[in-house]
Amino acid sequence: MVDILGWFWTSAILVIAVVLVVMLVAIYNRLVGLRQNVNQGVADIDAQLRQRHDLIPNLVSTVKGYARHEQDTLDAVVAARNKAAQGAISSSDEQQLRVALDRLLALGEAYPDLKASANFQELQRELAHVEDKLAAARRALNAAVSRYNTGRESFPAVLFAGLLGFRQADFHRLDDSEKGTVDQVPQIDF
């Protein structure tokens, strides 16, 4: 009788250990997949920013032909683009680039020939398209971060996530140049 009871407890402990290991592996693999989705979201945003950076030299060269005496604006755009394109993504660098781009695009209003240029209009459309894709990539990243953080904080993963090296991911936050002003009426020109 003692042998049967000892065998039963040994078997029960072994089954519990195997179930625990299988559960741990499943949690680990799920969290790795969710973390990879977050990493993919960050890479997508980086790709969109790089595409924006690649459009800027074409836009600047188009404007140069029409607005030769606006060299300060053109130089500011080129300098901001070069600074933003170097190294890691920096919110302040992207903000400076955004301000410089806005100033460059405003030149289209001051120069009717530039505004009528098919090349300038096409580059503006491409830039707007890149901005739309960038916004979509940011939404996708935030959704991936939400799924990852939820998976990390769900039971039973919450028991093991910290031990397995899974840290909370940060949501992508808009910098000041990207935030809308709630109490400001938009300007519309016809």
Side-chain angles (χ1 to χ4, degrees):
M1 179 75 171
V2 174
D3 274 343
I4 292 175
L5 197 55
W7 180 82
F8 173 77
W9 286 112
T10 304
S11 298
I13 291 172
L14 187 61
V15 167
I16 290 171
V18 167
V19 167
L20 190 61
V21 167
V22 168
M23 186 175 72
L24 192 63
V25 168
I27 289 170
Y28 180 81
N29 287 339
R30 182 170 183 272
L31 290 176
V32 165
L34 292 171
R35 184 174 56 193
Q36 286 305 105
N37 289 340
V38 170
N39 293 340
Q40 180 64 45
V42 170
D44 289 346
I45 288 175
D46 186 49
Q48 295 307 317
L49 289 174
R50 296 212 186 282
Q51 188 175 4
R52 180 204 286 169
H53 299 163
D54 291 345
L55 280 174
I56 291 169
N58 295 334
L59 194 58
V60 167
S61 65
T62 300
V63 172
K64 273 184 183 178
Y66 291 94
R68 296 195 194 289
H69 62 282
E70 298 288 349
Q71 194 61 41
D72 291 342
T73 301
L74 299 174
D75 290 343
V77 171
V78 170
R81 183 256 182 208
N82 290 340
K83 188 174 180 185
Q86 293 174 351
I89 298 171
S90 167
S91 179
S92 64
D93 291 345
E94 290 299 325
Q95 180 180 5
Q96 289 173 352
L97 177 59
R98 180 76 168 196
V99 169
L101 266 177
D102 288 345
R103 286 180 44 212
L104 180 69
L105 293 175
L107 291 177
E109 299 298 322
Y111 297 93
D113 291 341
L114 174 62
K115 189 174 183 178
S117 165
N119 195 18
F120 184 71
Q121 289 176 355
E122 178 60 27
L123 288 169
Q124 277 187 309
R125 275 193 293 278
E126 283 183 48
L127 192 58
H129 183 64
V130 167
E131 294 296 330
D132 290 343
K133 291 191 312 186
L134 187 56
R138 288 179 176 132
R139 286 190 302 273
L141 172 62
N142 285 341
V145 167
S146 178
R147 285 190 301 273
Y148 170 76
N149 286 341
T150 300
R152 187 186 165 279
E153 294 171 8
S154 298
F155 185 81
V158 70
L159 301 174
F160 305 106
L163 297 172
L164 296 173
F166 292 95
R167 305 288 174 244
Q168 184 156 344
D170 290 330
F171 288 94
H172 184 271
R173 290 180 180 37
L174 297 178
D175 63 32
D176 291 337
S177 71
E178 299 169 316
K179 291 180 182 174
T181 306
V182 176
D183 59 350
Q184 188 176 30
V185 177
Q187 299 284 330
I188 301 173
D189 293 327
F190 291 102

